[in-house]
Amino acid sequence: MNVRKLLTCVVPSYNSAEYLERAVDSLLAGGEEMDILIVDDGSTDETGAIADRLAETYPSIVRVCHKENGGHGSGVNYGIAHAEGVYFKVVDSDDRLVKENLPGLMDLLREHADPENRADLVFHDYVYDKPDRESVFKISYAGRLKPGKLCTWEDSRKFHMWNQFVIHSLIYGTQFLRDMNYTLPEHIFYEDNLYVYQPMGHTRRIMYYHAPLYGYYLGRGDQSVNEKNILKRLDQLTEISKTQLTTYSLKELEQLPKRLGSYMINNTCGQLFNVCALQFIEDSERSHRMNREMWQTVRDFDPALYKRLRRNPLGRVTCLPGRAGERLLVFLFRFGRKMLKF
């Protein structure tokens, strides 16, 4: 008897032999309605062999794709194209889902699996894990929506500037992404910012699962979110930001449901805050040129959006004048990361 798959979790994996099995083990708590798709992205270690063994052990739940290296975005693209679940989630190979909260999510998705009752987007709480212990810090969206109910953005309360979504807090409807023909850029880092922003502007029916579902691991020196590694790839982060900035004009954002449009502007300003701070941390001729070109890109794309972003409270902080303004931005950026234990 074939079981309908409720949730596809794509696990993009590159040289993940050390932690892949842990990630997949956390997903198995979803049972037979879970579709786990491991994308071996040209690994040179034992990742592929571990993935094959997991698929052999759990043939009705785990599938494997072996492909040439294309980057994280390539793995997500493969997942969207080949997902069997009604809903779609990205789980990085060094992260986990919180086992005790996964059955509750599956119950919610089961109740909203039919097209007439299906959400475009489900968001949920998540936690940060560190090498010495799990769940050191929780991010919650409590109070924005009534948990477990299919809603619209008009039903939500205002999302504050600090209520930012990340890829780890989102589950999209699989058909929703396919109807958009959505794909991410490949062979580039930090494309997950686009995965949050670009499809979200098309969402209308949303749900909130009020439980910490995702464990986001921080602590490895080779992670892309490590400040030293971000600075090495600052050009890539800047290019991703320019793509985000030129996705929606101000007129398009203002035509969205009010709560959604407000969130999208805050999300963009949050991205600008982070990128500008990192450009000033590098403090080189190259990074200052990136900063000028980034702002000029949005100004050329839509002068009205440019003005709106610079009037936003976060936007104002990104363009304070002089060296003192740059130092203040860097201080606030590092203080925020410290508070989040990032």
Side-chain angles (χ1 to χ4, degrees):
M1 177 179 169
N2 292 328
V3 177
R4 177 171 64 171
K5 298 296 185 179
L6 292 176
L7 178 63
T8 291
C9 286
V10 64
V11 187
S13 305
Y14 176 73
N15 288 352
S16 306
E18 182 180 349
Y19 30 79
L20 176 60
E21 195 159 2
R22 170 181 176 269
V24 172
D25 178 70
S26 75
L27 308 181
L28 294 171
E32 291 290 329
E33 293 171 300
M34 177 72 80
D35 172 36
I36 303 172
L37 178 53
I38 304 170
V39 180
D40 172 23
D41 192 37
S43 299
T44 58
D45 65 359
E46 294 300 309
T47 295
I50 293 172
D52 288 338
R53 175 166 50 79
L54 289 166
E56 183 178 349
T57 305
Y58 306 100
S60 62
I61 303 176
V62 179
R63 297 183 289 144
V64 179
C65 161
H66 301 284
K67 57 183 284 299
E68 293 184 1
N69 183 264
H72 187 269
S74 174
V76 175
N77 291 340
Y78 184 92
I80 294 172
H82 295 87
E84 296 179 356
V86 176
Y87 290 93
F88 182 81
K89 183 164 188 58
V90 181
V91 178
D92 288 346
S93 58
D94 56 348
D95 293 336
R96 65 182 176 103
L97 295 190
V98 180
K99 293 181 182 181
E100 57 267 30
N101 293 330
L102 185 50
L105 172 74
M106 300 301 282
D107 290 342
L108 180 63
L109 299 185
R110 193 179 305 112
E111 293 172 8
H112 296 86
D114 295 330
E116 66 275 7
N117 196 34
R118 189 177 300 169
D120 302 324
L121 169 66
V122 181
F123 60 94
H124 56 79
D125 305 333
Y126 65 100
V127 295
Y128 288 113
D129 292 342
K130 287 294 186 73
D132 55 339
R133 66 187 178 97
E134 296 179 340
S135 303
V136 296
F137 193 84
K138 176 183 175 181
I139 301 295
S140 175
Y141 302 99
R144 304 306 99 199
L145 277 177
K146 189 173 181 179
K149 301 293 183 181
L150 187 65
C151 302
T152 67
W153 286 102
E154 286 86 349
D155 299 318
S156 69
R157 297 179 64 187
K158 181 178 180 180
F159 286 81
H160 301 294
M161 286 184 292
W162 56 87
N163 294 136
Q164 296 292 321
F165 297 118
V166 295
I167 190 172
H168 314 300
S169 62
L170 302 182
I171 299 170
Y172 284 115
T174 302
Q175 194 59 47
F176 166 78
L177 293 174
R178 287 176 177 166
D179 288 345
M180 287 181 60
N181 294 316
Y182 188 68
T183 58
L184 285 169
E186 302 184 359
H187 295 289
I188 190 169
F189 283 84
Y190 311 113
E191 85 297 332
D192 55 300
N193 294 306
L194 301 180
Y195 184 82
V196 174
Y197 185 79
Q198 291 177 323
M200 192 171 290
H202 297 264
T203 61
R204 294 298 178 267
R205 298 194 295 183
I206 56 178
M207 288 195 303
Y208 172 43
Y209 180 56
H210 182 24
L213 181 71
Y214 195 98
Y216 178 28
Y217 180 81
L218 291 174
R220 290 201 338 270
D222 62 342
Q223 285 184 290
S224 62
V225 294
N226 181 288
E227 185 176 298
K228 292 181 179 179
N229 292 328
I230 298 177
L231 293 175
K232 291 177 183 177
R233 301 171 180 134
L234 189 57
D235 56 338
Q236 297 185 46
L237 179 61
T238 302
E239 286 304 311
I240 288 294
S241 301
K242 288 160 71 173
T243 300
Q244 176 173 337
L245 287 163
T246 55
T247 297
Y248 299 103
S249 67
L250 180 61
K251 182 177 180 180
E252 289 172 321
L253 292 174
E254 290 178 338
Q255 290 173 343
L256 296 175
K258 183 178 179 181
R259 296 296 191 215
L260 175 58
S262 174
Y263 170 80
M264 299 282 280
I265 289 173
N266 282 337
N267 178 271
T268 300
C269 289
Q271 177 73 354
L272 282 167
F273 177 92
N274 291 331
V275 177
C276 290
L278 288 157
Q279 289 166 340
F280 295 146
I281 286 172
E282 179 172 301
D283 194 22
S284 66
E285 181 180 344
R286 179 189 81 132
S287 65
H288 284 273
R289 183 179 68 252
M290 289 179 187
N291 181 267
R292 293 191 300 270
E293 290 177 351
M294 183 176 65
W295 279 108
Q296 189 62 48
T297 294
V298 66
R299 190 173 192 172
D300 292 342
F301 170 69
D302 182 5
L305 177 62
Y306 171 84
K307 293 179 181 178
R308 177 66 176 274
L309 295 176
R310 291 176 76 94
R311 288 200 304 267
N312 180 280
L314 274 178
R316 289 172 187 259
V317 177
T318 65
C319 48
L320 292 172
R323 300 290 287 181
E326 294 176 8
R327 286 195 291 268
L328 177 59
L329 174 59
V330 170
F331 169 79
L332 293 173
F333 170 78
R334 285 182 162 157
F335 178 76
R337 285 172 69 96
K338 184 177 181 180
M339 290 297 293
L340 290 173
K341 305 182 189 300
F342 208 85

